Amino acid sequence: MAANRPVFFFDIDNCTNFHSSIQRVRIAEKNLLSTDLLLVGKKVHDHMSRLIDEYFMKHLDLTQEDAYKLHQEYYKNYGLAIEGLTRYHKIDPLEYNRQVDDAIPLEDILSEDPALRKLLQDIDTTKVKLWLFTNAYVTHGQRVVRILGIDDLFEGMTFCDYGQNPIVCKPREEMYVKGMKEAGVTDFKDCYFVDDSGLNCTEAERLGWSAVHLVEAGDPLPAVKPCKTQIRSLEELRTVFPQFFKTS
């Protein structure tokens, strides 16, 4: 096993549910391979969006329409609704996590995914390190990969620490630096990354990571590509990064 392996970062939400229509994949090259495996899928995404809007309505005393608009504004500006909430409304982020992320009935939505597990097992981990990279809190990330039956295939996880003030999440540069430090890589060119968020992919590529944008099947491609590489399925990683897959 190479001493200084690249790291492949996978997003957890919407990227790791192999059969979901929402699969995000980002890849960074050489010693850091990062893919934000959005392991959640459309049903999880829908549940989460509803719970976030309900939280805005309840705690900020907003109408459903205004809650949705503010939710989308914070996501667009900061990459995460909770960052806007903590910046301007002083909410308790861990209580938010309890009422939103941890309230999603993942056990009723997700199940083990043999196809996804096979894809990940076909990656040669003597050449590259597999690492989870998520804007969710650690409890949500752990639940998703455990239910999908792939938690044993990753060497670690970099998550958004809701107990930290200020909260640091993608696409802020500090989050990518945090991921590199925790995954044990020092060169941006050694990072591979897959994600369904165009914002996150754009920033990763700007930093020097090899980024892959996963676009939901059936969704229109963005007018402007957020990074050089786009895919519709995680299976396409086999041809995008053939050097990391086993040959037999």
Side-chain angles (χ1 to χ4, degrees):
M1 184 177 297
N4 297 313
R5 290 173 293 161
V7 178
F8 201 146
F9 290 94
F10 283 84
D11 180 27
I12 292 177
D13 292 330
N14 291 356
C15 263
T16 49
N17 189 348
F18 190 78
H19 292 297
S20 166
S21 57
I22 297 182
Q23 295 180 337
R24 315 173 190 180
V25 181
R26 288 183 186 177
I27 302 178
E29 251 177 291
K30 259 195 167 179
N31 280 340
L32 190 55
L33 191 57
S34 164
T35 53
D36 194 277
L37 295 178
L38 299 174
L39 305 169
V40 187
K42 192 173 191 313
K43 288 185 178 180
V44 177
H45 175 269
D46 291 346
H47 272 279
M48 183 175 291
S49 293
R50 178 177 57 79
L51 290 171
I52 292 174
D53 288 347
E54 289 177 356
Y55 187 93
F56 275 68
M57 293 167 63
K58 177 180 178 181
H59 293 275
L60 304 184
D61 195 23
L62 298 175
T63 65
Q64 184 174 5
E65 181 180 0
D66 288 341
Y68 175 79
K69 288 180 179 178
L70 190 60
H71 168 194
Q72 297 304 312
E73 178 183 334
Y74 286 166
Y75 178 79
K76 179 180 180 181
N77 291 340
Y78 306 114
L80 207 59
I82 191 174
E83 185 171 350
L85 286 170
T86 56
R87 278 174 180 256
Y88 302 114
H89 308 286
K90 308 304 180 185
I91 61 99
D92 180 347
L94 293 177
E95 179 59 21
Y96 168 93
N97 180 69
R98 188 186 69 79
Q99 295 186 34
V100 178
D101 291 31
D102 285 352
I104 299 171
L106 293 179
E107 289 78 5
D108 298 331
I109 301 171
L110 301 178
S111 60
E112 290 190 3
D113 193 332
L116 174 60
R117 184 173 179 85
K118 177 65 166 56
L119 174 71
L120 295 172
Q121 287 180 318
D122 285 347
I123 295 175
D124 189 345
T125 54
T126 66
K127 298 179 179 178
V128 67
K129 181 185 296 186
L130 298 184
W131 199 269
L132 295 163
F133 191 36
T134 179
N135 271 351
Y137 190 53
V138 60
T139 52
H140 178 74
Q142 289 175 339
R143 285 176 69 204
V144 170
V145 293
R146 174 181 55 79
I147 295 170
L148 290 175
I150 58 172
D151 52 321
D152 60 316
L153 301 180
F154 293 88
E155 296 187 40
M157 175 195 301
T158 294
F159 60 91
C160 182
D161 186 356
Y162 289 2
Q164 177 182 347
N165 188 17
I167 289 176
V168 175
C169 63
K170 297 173 289 184
R172 290 178 58 179
E173 180 176 341
E174 300 97 308
M175 184 65 168
Y176 298 88
V177 172
K178 175 185 177 183
M180 293 175 67
K181 181 178 180 180
E182 293 180 352
V185 64
T186 57
D187 193 333
F188 288 97
K189 294 181 180 179
D190 291 334
C191 303
Y192 294 78
F193 182 50
V194 60
D195 201 312
D196 69 332
S197 165
L199 287 174
N200 295 347
C201 289
T202 297
E203 177 64 8
E205 190 166 86
R206 185 190 72 80
L207 292 171
W209 289 26
S210 295
V212 175
H213 184 213
L214 178 61
V215 181
E216 178 179 359
D219 274 4
L221 295 172
V224 179
K225 292 176 65 174
C227 58
K228 293 178 182 177
T229 305
Q230 287 182 326
I231 60 175
R232 289 290 195 174
S233 167
L234 290 176
E235 273 291 333
E236 294 181 53
L237 291 176
R238 296 180 185 273
T239 55
V240 175
F241 299 110
Q243 70 271 31
F244 294 125
F245 283 84
K246 300 171 184 175
T247 57
S248 61

